[in-house]
Amino acid sequence: MQWLMRFRILWGIHKSFHNIHPALSQLRCRSLSEVGAPRWNDYEVPEEFNFASCVLDYWAQMEKEGKRGPNPAFWWVNGQGDEVKWSFREIADLTRRTANILTQTCGLEQGDLLALILPRVPEWWLVAVGCMRTGIIFMPATIMLKAKDILYRLQMSKAKGIVTTDTLASDVDSMASECPSLKTKLLVSDHSREGWLDFRSLVKSASPEHTCIKSKTMDPMVIFFTSGTTGFPKMAKHSHGLALQPSFPTSRKIRSLKTSDVSWCLSDSGWILATMGTLVEPWTAGCTVFIHHLPQFDTKVIIQALLKYPINQFFGAPSIFRMILQQDFTSIRFPALEHCCTGGEVLWPKDQEEWKRRTGLLLYNIYGQSETGIICATLREMKIKPGFLGKASPPYDVQVIDDKGSILPPNTEGNIGIRIKPARPVTLFMCYEGNPEKTAEVECGDFFNTGDRGMMDEEGYICFLGRSDDIINAS
């Protein structure tokens, strides 16, 4: 980890920005808000888009021109007192180095698949953005996976590479002979291992000169494995369009992030929430991503971090807020905290009310899936309706439908659906990779059937009533 903290010195030796292009000419975007990343209207889809070059490099250029404040873009801490702070210029440099490692050292090419199985360590962000720069499709996965789960993912995806830590390296070695597609293995560790490339050593010596691919918006970018609660996990493949969502005006209003904000999204690195909530959304806004390594969930550590650091935006699952409320305090005031969001599980109205009573803060709901990103949300400017998820978030047209795809009247229970005809939303998954039958199964008339049950009131607020499979199994 020391190399990360010393990198600021190394980076100062070679500052190269030959590959940064001004956002206005490169993107032909519709508008900029003073200093702000490029944005489109809620339903506009540019032909070309790459988050690394269009957004991250834009902020690096703003820093170079003195048009962004001194806050770091990335702020990582752990329980041992280690701390890493990177600017956008440093991230741009490091991710170009990573891109060169992936293509030149590992021999990976655009369209190849790379399994990314890391905990909350800074290298996760470098590899994810490095893949975006090269067109390599990354596949995040939780480090909680067992050997059989890793084998399943490597075989199903035919991944050509993997990035992981010492903890899982032996498991990968034991199954390598069963994964003929696996050609390269990158280890993130302070120790070397036979048969593995040392990522930390390579990034020090890698060239910072790299030209980002000109990806089409609909070129594949990332694959998320679904939770597998109703069968084997499916590979939900997303295009670069997924990373466009936070650039849409309505999506920006969900958390209304500013460049001065410090955002902590507490998600396992294997889920879509990590990609969106700890990378794409906050960096689109140009704000600081705060990360605590937190190898084991510890409510006291979370509370201490919220008290110690200037975190003013906090996003986590309802269970996190519930466990904080279970601590022994009648009221608590986090000095910097202004806005709290939750999603991924059912939020009980009593927890929402108790959080407000004891912290003085509102708790806003967000709803989405591995296939969709954010489907609907309660924006900061909207009233909170306890028990409701919020309203549809563009580019999605969300309706409650019956089993044939017909829209149901207000306050009627049905399937939560997303309109895919006449035009499929750019942020919706492309397909279940290698599984056209399952891809076809979730299409219901003009809609994608999320598999979740719900109802919509007269104001357009959506209430979640459970998974279809759960309801069927319980009946």
Side-chain angles (χ1 to χ4, degrees):
M1 190 54 63
Q2 292 301 315
W3 80 270
L4 292 169
M5 291 177 277
R6 291 197 302 266
F7 186 80
R8 190 177 296 270
I9 299 171
L10 173 67
W11 180 82
I13 297 172
H14 189 130
K15 296 180 181 178
S16 173
F17 290 90
H18 301 313
N19 298 321
I20 295 179
H21 305 283
L24 285 171
S25 61
Q26 178 187 2
L27 299 173
R28 299 189 297 277
C29 55
R30 295 298 183 193
S31 65
L32 294 171
S33 60
E34 297 181 1
V35 176
R39 61 181 66 187
W40 292 262
N41 67 45
D42 280 337
Y43 301 97
E44 182 181 11
V45 180
E47 183 180 351
E48 293 183 356
F49 179 77
N50 186 292
F51 179 83
S53 60
C54 296
V55 177
L56 195 149
D57 288 351
Y58 168 82
W59 286 114
Q61 183 71 17
M62 291 298 100
E63 285 182 346
K64 184 182 180 183
E65 296 175 9
K67 295 179 181 178
R68 182 183 178 270
N71 288 354
F74 184 77
W75 186 357
W76 179 93
V77 301
N78 64 13
Q80 288 72 52
D82 297 324
E83 188 174 64
V84 173
K85 288 184 178 180
W86 288 331
S87 66
F88 278 108
R89 296 172 76 185
E90 289 170 311
I91 295 169
D93 183 290
L94 282 164
T95 55
R96 290 193 191 99
R97 292 169 182 263
T98 303
N100 284 325
I101 293 169
L102 296 174
T103 54
Q104 296 175 11
T105 308
C106 298
L108 299 175
E109 300 177 348
Q110 182 175 355
D112 287 344
L113 273 63
L114 177 75
L116 178 56
I117 313 178
L118 290 176
R120 301 180 193 92
V121 292
E123 290 86 354
W124 186 92
W125 284 261
L126 301 185
V127 174
V129 177
C131 285
M132 294 177 189
R133 291 191 182 279
T134 57
I136 295 165
I137 304 166
F138 65 104
M139 301 184 300
T142 173
I143 59 167
M144 303 303 291
L145 294 177
K146 304 297 184 184
K148 63 179 179 63
D149 302 315
I150 298 173
L151 177 62
Y152 172 79
R153 283 158 173 75
L154 292 176
Q155 289 182 333
M156 283 292 293
S157 65
K158 296 181 174 60
K160 291 191 176 180
I162 186 169
V163 184
T164 192
T165 63
D166 309 77
T167 308
L168 297 176
S170 59
D171 286 338
V172 175
D173 284 339
S174 69
M175 65 184 69
S177 61
E178 301 177 67
C179 305
S181 298
L182 190 63
K183 303 299 183 185
T184 187
K185 299 177 291 185
L186 276 166
L187 186 68
V188 175
S189 171
D190 291 328
H191 311 286
S192 61
R193 184 180 179 89
E194 186 178 353
W196 290 73
L197 296 170
D198 183 344
F199 180 85
R200 289 176 176 170
S201 295
L202 288 169
V203 81
K204 292 178 190 177
S205 57
S207 169
E209 304 285 349
H210 182 270
T211 301
C212 185
I213 64 161
K214 291 187 176 181
S215 55
K216 301 291 185 183
T217 302
M218 295 311 298
D219 285 345
M221 180 186 79
V222 60
I223 287 175
F224 300 105
F225 277 84
T226 61
S227 60
T229 52
T230 58
F232 288 110
K234 299 181 287 293
M235 297 168 56
K237 182 166 73 174
H238 282 271
S239 71
H240 287 270
L242 175 67
L244 260 178
Q245 191 171 38
S247 295
F248 298 144
T250 299
S251 294
R252 284 175 174 260
K253 294 178 182 178
I254 293 175
R255 293 206 288 158
S256 299
L257 293 170
K258 309 179 298 296
T259 55
S260 58
D261 286 340
V262 178
S263 172
W264 186 14
C265 174
L266 191 48
S267 168
D268 185 287
S269 54
W271 304 117
I272 189 172
L273 181 56
T275 299
M276 298 302 289
T278 75
L279 195 162
V280 173
E281 183 193 24
W283 281 349
T284 296
C287 78
T288 299
V289 169
F290 178 87
I291 299 294
H292 197 298
H293 183 213
L294 209 67
Q296 287 85 36
F297 186 88
D298 189 325
T299 309
K300 288 188 170 70
V301 172
I302 295 171
I303 293 174
Q304 289 167 2
L306 290 171
L307 290 169
K308 178 180 179 180
Y309 298 101
I311 299 160
N312 65 334
Q313 294 267 356
F314 185 51
F315 192 169
S319 56
I320 294 173
F321 293 93
R322 198 171 301 124
M323 283 186 271
I324 292 175
L325 290 171
Q326 289 171 358
Q327 300 302 301
D328 187 21
F329 60 84
T330 54
S331 67
I332 188 169
R333 293 296 186 266
F334 300 107
L337 198 55
E338 299 172 0
H339 187 62
C340 300
C341 281
T342 190
E345 303 166 2
V346 175
L347 173 63
W348 302 111
K350 64 177 182 179
D351 293 330
Q352 221 166 359
E353 294 164 9
E354 188 68 5
W355 182 258
K356 181 182 178 183
R357 186 183 72 81
R358 292 167 69 178
T359 68
L361 296 164
L362 298 173
L363 186 52
Y364 292 80
N365 219 340
I366 292 176
Y367 162 66
Q369 296 181 336
S370 299
E371 293 90 341
T372 63
I374 295 175
I375 297 174
C376 64
T378 303
L379 310 185
R380 291 185 71 167
E381 63 190 31
M382 290 166 52
K383 66 180 178 182
I384 292 176
K385 281 193 171 186
F388 285 81
L389 302 169
K391 294 184 179 181
S393 178
Y396 292 135
D397 174 5
V398 182
Q399 301 290 339
V400 175
I401 58 174
D402 63 20
D403 292 337
K404 295 182 179 179
S406 299
I407 298 174
L408 296 171
N411 302 311
T412 305
E413 180 179 339
N415 305 305
I416 298 176
I418 295 173
R419 189 181 296 278
I420 55 174
K421 295 176 183 177
R424 188 180 184 90
V426 66
T427 52
L428 189 64
F429 80 125
M430 303 170 72
C431 65
Y432 292 123
E433 181 72 0
N435 201 334
E437 295 82 9
K438 286 292 182 183
T439 303
E441 277 181 21
V442 295
E443 294 190 6
C444 185
D446 291 344
F447 292 86
F448 161 69
N449 185 348
T450 64
D452 290 338
R453 301 284 290 177
M455 66 178 182
M456 183 184 294
D457 70 7
E458 292 86 350
E459 294 183 275
Y461 281 78
I462 297 167
C463 176
F464 174 80
L465 298 176
R467 288 287 299 174
S468 298
D469 304 278
D470 296 338
I471 294 170
I472 291 169
N473 293 334
S475 60

